Amino acid sequence: MGMTIAQKIIAAHLVDGDMTPGSQVALRIDQTLTQDATGTMAYLELETMGIDRVKTELSVAYVDHNTLQSGFENADDHRYLQTVAAKYGVHFSRPGNGICHQVHLERFGKPGKTLIGSDSHTPTGGGIGMLAFGAGGLDVAVAMGGGAYYISMPKMFKVELTGKLNPYVTAKDVSLELLRILSVKGGVGAIIEWGGEGVKTLSVPERATITNMGTELGATTSIFPSDETTRAFLKAQGREEDYTPLASDPDAVYDRIIPIDLSSLKPMIACPHSPDNVVSVDSIAGTKVDQVCIGSCTNSSLFDMLKVAAMLKGKNVHPSVSLSVSPGSKQVLRMLADCGALSDILASGARVLECACGPCIGMGFSPNSGGVSLRTFNRNFLGRSGTKDGQVYLVSPETAVAAALNGVITDPTTMPPIPPVTMPETFTVDDSAVLAPLPPEEAKTAEVLRGPNIKEFPKSKPFADTLSAKLVLKVGDNITTDHIMPAGAKILPYRSNIPFLSQFCFQVCDAEFAERAKAAGDGVIIGGSNYGQGSSREHAALVPMYLGIRCVIAKSFARIHIANLINAGILPLTFADPADYDALEQGSKLIFKDLKAGIAAGTVVMTDTATGKEIVLKGEFTRRQQEILLCGGLLNYTKENNCWNRSIRH
Ligand code: MIC
Ligand code: SF4
């Protein structure tokens, strides 16, 4: 039987397991990336593993999230990351060089290779045919140490593209349309492959926008074929030798095929507060807009920025709109400057921000109270912008500019035409902001510099056979990691300080949660479906663990978050009968008996002392996951078993 692209890459990297959907596979990882907000934890974890140097083909540490430096904290963390990277054999991309996913695509990604990154949008690399996964920091640390990456073998979905996008209809609209069709949980457990005749009409940056937003579908990852368009992109980046063609076999079998006719699409918009709350732009045209933000790892390529500049050229931003533009990388910014497009953007009245995540993660540029903000980003979760009652909509760069010029939501197809934007034959290549690691001999004596912002890693405890715990929080469906552990300018600098962070846990849903959880001792959280969707931040597991949470029971979990819970030694269980969710009340005392046998058997029985009812819970853990849970988390397990050496690279 023929294979899909993803199956071919998995087969070529399989260290352990069989490729039947749902069973565990262990993959050899060629490349890793970290960013600063998750990276400090990942390198602290790497340091405890007792290895001298990373064992991947390439590892890169980016600084792109925490670039405000409103106190010593970020600057200290940057210095830690720079020195730890130099010592352990990791390349360091300096602050200002750009957003990790954009820079990695431009300078390092390779078709056919595996990549894991401590950021959920790592699948952006699928735009050039990489098999790229978002993961928790600890999984990335283990991969840097040469250990395998474990996933449950995904199902294969294919989006069959036909036709060609019309002017002012974009790759972002394709992503939004798929979110409309599938919802934020529609991709869970699946890899989404993009195929069909329509693929060749899409440039690499357009493909990368689409694979980037596969994360919002909950997909394990997304991938495009590697073809002549990929070759041309790599050649223009001065690295044609990294090209390998990749295609699925004609008789490859997919679990689901979703047809999309590119010619029939319209500009789309995701309304507050979920990326799948999608309607067509024309259906809400005329809504007043206060702010427009262009950038983020989804839409900050040169291709996007040139279209933005062409639309803004000779015009002025509407007086009631504040427009920000953040180019995705130094390469993009320099090329905009060199061709004069930057001048067109500046002349329009836009505020040009640093090449970083910026407003996407609430690092500045929060909207006014109740303000309507149109953003070319990938997430519009409640409160993420830094303004709790801000109304954030997700759009393409073209729809964003149309609103910035008119002051109201505007269907961009009604705007005057712009000349077509083509990909350059040569990009400006300047890797001077990527610092190479020290040679091994020098690295041995090099010092890693740590500031007072870096606090001790919290310790988890192994499970006893009986657990008596309080139900400290009950929440509904689609709880995001932004609810569990918010980010933003006020909190993000403390990503290496779990005790400080803990006071903000679940603050968006329940301001008293942290105090209540601490007072309860051992605690349990009850969630609805798709619990933990969104980011890869392991802080959304480490902080609850620090606050005493031992178990999360939900209707279903998001992929990266469930892995992070297990890694942190928190037991994730689902209801055998989802109706049991309704009967549980916050404040109840819950008793779990025969836990060890239950974890091994995949069924745990819990008594709700408020009603006396016995509730059956499920947790189908692999042998390795059972051992991790029983050790009290991956770090304990890895130390006890010296196991990154077990699943070492072949
Ligand atoms: C995000 O977009 O939510 C982030 C910030 O990039 C996160 C990582 C983090 O929380 O540091 C992600 O997507 O994984
Ligand atoms: Fe940065 Fe936003 Fe992309 Fe996350 S989604 S990596 S915060 S730009």
Side-chain angles (χ1 to χ4, degrees):
M1 194 175 69
M3 288 210 253
T4 69
I5 303 169
Q7 285 166 342
K8 289 182 189 184
I9 304 179
I10 291 174
H13 290 82
L14 198 64
V15 174
D16 196 16
D18 81 274
M19 288 172 53
T20 321
S23 59
Q24 180 187 261
V25 285
L27 303 180
R28 179 167 49 82
I29 295 302
D30 301 319
Q31 298 190 351
T32 63
L33 70 80
T34 55
Q35 41 91 336
D36 50 313
T38 51
T40 47
M41 274 299 160
Y43 293 103
L44 287 170
E45 288 153 351
L46 179 73
E47 283 188 282
T48 67
M49 290 182 181
I51 57 155
D52 295 339
R53 214 168 166 82
V54 295
K55 299 196 166 56
T56 45
E57 288 174 13
L58 174 88
S59 288
V60 189
Y62 293 91
V63 176
D64 54 1
H65 282 61
N66 271 313
T67 56
L68 279 188
Q69 297 171 226
S70 47
F72 67 90
E73 293 85 359
N74 294 163
D76 279 6
D77 284 358
H78 299 171
R79 200 178 48 160
Y80 166 68
L81 289 168
Q82 182 169 342
T83 52
V84 81
K87 186 173 177 74
Y88 283 89
V90 175
H91 287 74
F92 179 72
S93 172
R94 305 185 71 181
N97 192 41
I99 305 175
C100 55
H101 308 304
Q102 176 65 27
V103 177
H104 209 83
L105 191 79
E106 291 168 358
R107 305 301 310 137
F108 300 112
K110 292 186 188 176
K113 295 284 182 184
T114 51
L115 163 72
I116 67 170
S118 60
D119 192 281
S120 65
H121 289 101
T122 305
T124 311
I128 49 168
M130 283 198 104
L131 196 67
F133 307 95
L138 192 43
D139 282 327
V140 177
V142 168
M144 286 193 276
Y149 179 52
Y150 290 78
I151 55 166
S152 155
M153 182 67 197
K155 293 178 285 187
M156 299 288 145
F157 286 4
K158 183 176 191 188
V159 182
E160 185 78 28
L161 294 176
T162 50
K164 188 175 183 322
L165 292 168
N166 286 313
Y168 284 131
V169 186
T170 70
K172 181 61 159 281
D173 302 306
V174 179
S175 292
L176 293 172
E177 170 66 3
L178 194 59
L179 274 154
R180 192 188 63 77
I181 300 171
L182 291 181
S183 89
V184 288
K185 18 181 207 215
V188 173
I191 292 183
I192 301 181
E193 277 192 24
W194 292 76
E197 276 302 291
V199 163
K200 61 176 186 298
T201 68
L202 298 174
S203 65
V204 163
E206 291 175 293
R207 297 175 185 187
T209 293
I210 291 173
T211 52
N212 174 284
M213 278 202 80
T215 300
E216 277 47 67
L217 296 159
T220 305
T221 188
S222 302
I223 190 164
F224 271 83
S226 169
D227 57 12
E228 285 307 312
T229 305
T230 323
R231 185 208 290 271
F233 175 81
L234 292 170
K235 188 172 175 207
Q237 291 285 356
R239 52 192 195 97
E240 192 179 4
E241 67 283 5
D242 290 344
Y243 172 70
T244 323
L246 274 174
S248 58
D249 292 328
D251 55 345
V253 177
Y254 292 91
D255 298 276
R256 180 167 176 188
I257 296 185
I258 303 152
I260 293 186
D261 174 8
L262 295 171
S263 327
S264 70
L265 294 183
K266 296 185 181 194
M268 306 298 275
I269 183 165
C271 303
H273 298 286
S274 180
D276 61 357
N277 196 5
V278 173
V279 297
S280 63
V281 175
D282 60 3
S283 70
I284 54 167
T287 308
K288 193 178 166 306
V289 172
D290 300 290
Q291 183 191 62
V292 173
C293 302
I294 298 175
S296 93
C297 57
T298 317
N299 278 124
S300 60
S301 63
L302 180 70
F303 183 74
D304 284 328
M305 294 293 158
L306 288 174
K307 288 185 296 177
V308 167
M311 285 180 80
L312 289 174
K313 190 176 170 122
K315 310 224 169 63
N316 285 317
V317 172
H318 192 275
S320 60
V321 176
S322 174
L323 169 66
S324 76
V325 178
S326 335
S329 68
K330 192 172 74 146
Q331 180 182 79
V332 173
L333 183 55
R334 279 191 58 186
M335 291 181 75
L336 287 175
D338 291 346
C339 75
L342 183 60
S343 178
D344 296 332
I345 295 175
L346 288 168
S348 73
R351 292 164 65 181
V352 175
L353 308 183
E354 194 179 14
C355 305
C357 300
C360 179
I361 192 57
M363 295 305 270
F365 229 78
S366 298
N368 54 292
S369 303
V372 169
S373 178
L374 256 61
R375 300 177 160 213
T376 66
F377 307 165
N378 46 39
R379 290 181 175 151
N380 59 346
F381 302 141
L382 181 70
R384 182 176 162 97
S385 66
T387 302
K388 194 166 170 192
D389 61 359
Q391 303 296 308
V392 177
Y393 293 76
L394 306 176
V395 295
S396 70
E398 286 81 338
T399 304
V401 177
L405 294 174
N406 291 351
V408 291
I409 294 179
T410 304
D411 179 348
T413 62
T414 62
M415 300 295 284
I418 48 164
V421 167
T422 49
M423 294 294 292
E425 279 184 17
T426 319
F427 286 96
T428 303
V429 173
D430 167 11
D431 291 330
S432 58
V434 179
L435 307 181
L438 291 169
E441 271 315 304
E442 255 178 75
K444 277 189 194 142
T445 52
E447 200 190 343
V448 175
L449 300 174
R450 260 167 263 271
N453 193 37
I454 294 180
K455 296 283 181 273
E456 213 192 320
F457 194 80
K459 294 202 176 50
S460 53
K461 40 182 183 182
F463 283 101
D465 222 21
T466 304
L467 172 69
S468 165
K470 195 161 175 190
L471 199 175
V472 282
L473 184 72
K474 183 173 174 182
V475 285
D477 290 346
N478 291 323
I479 285 295
T480 72
T481 53
D482 279 293
H483 292 105
I484 306 171
M485 195 53 253
K490 296 193 185 96
I491 311 177
L492 213 54
Y494 299 96
R495 279 290 181 87
S496 334
N497 184 345
I498 299 289
F500 181 85
L501 277 186
S502 68
Q503 53 187 313
F504 303 99
C505 190
F506 275 110
Q507 207 189 34
V508 198
C509 314
D510 181 341
E512 269 89 57
F513 169 77
E515 279 310 310
R516 205 168 56 240
K518 243 200 233 158
D522 286 336
V524 174
I525 294 172
I526 304 290
S529 53
N530 203 21
Y531 180 88
Q533 67 157 327
S535 83
S536 68
R537 63 190 74 147
E538 57 188 335
H539 304 77
L542 293 175
V543 169
M545 181 263 277
Y546 171 81
L547 290 171
I549 301 302
R550 308 300 310 280
C551 173
V552 179
I553 307 168
K555 291 184 186 164
S556 66
F557 289 92
R559 181 187 73 88
I560 307 177
H561 188 61
I562 195 171
N564 284 341
L565 288 173
I566 296 172
N567 287 351
I570 296 179
L571 181 61
L573 296 169
T574 54
F575 295 98
D577 176 3
D580 285 331
Y581 167 91
D582 300 320
L584 286 164
E585 280 191 21
Q586 200 166 295
S588 286
K589 190 168 149 202
L590 306 171
I591 296 183
F592 303 74
K593 286 221 180 84
D594 300 324
L595 254 188
K596 290 186 182 166
I599 290 173
T603 303
V604 172
V605 179
M606 167 186 91
T607 310
D608 177 5
T609 59
T611 57
K613 188 172 182 217
E614 287 204 332
I615 295 176
V616 181
L617 304 166
K618 296 269 167 212
E620 279 168 24
F621 304 115
T622 62
R623 192 59 201 273
R624 175 176 174 271
Q625 289 171 329
Q626 292 170 19
E627 287 175 17
I628 292 173
L629 283 166
L630 293 175
C631 288
L634 181 57
L635 210 53
N636 295 350
Y637 169 83
T638 308
K639 275 192 222 152
E640 280 176 28
N641 295 287
N642 193 21
C643 65
W644 55 89
N645 292 329
R646 258 209 257 144
S647 48
I648 217 92
R649 326 164 40 74
H650 298 312

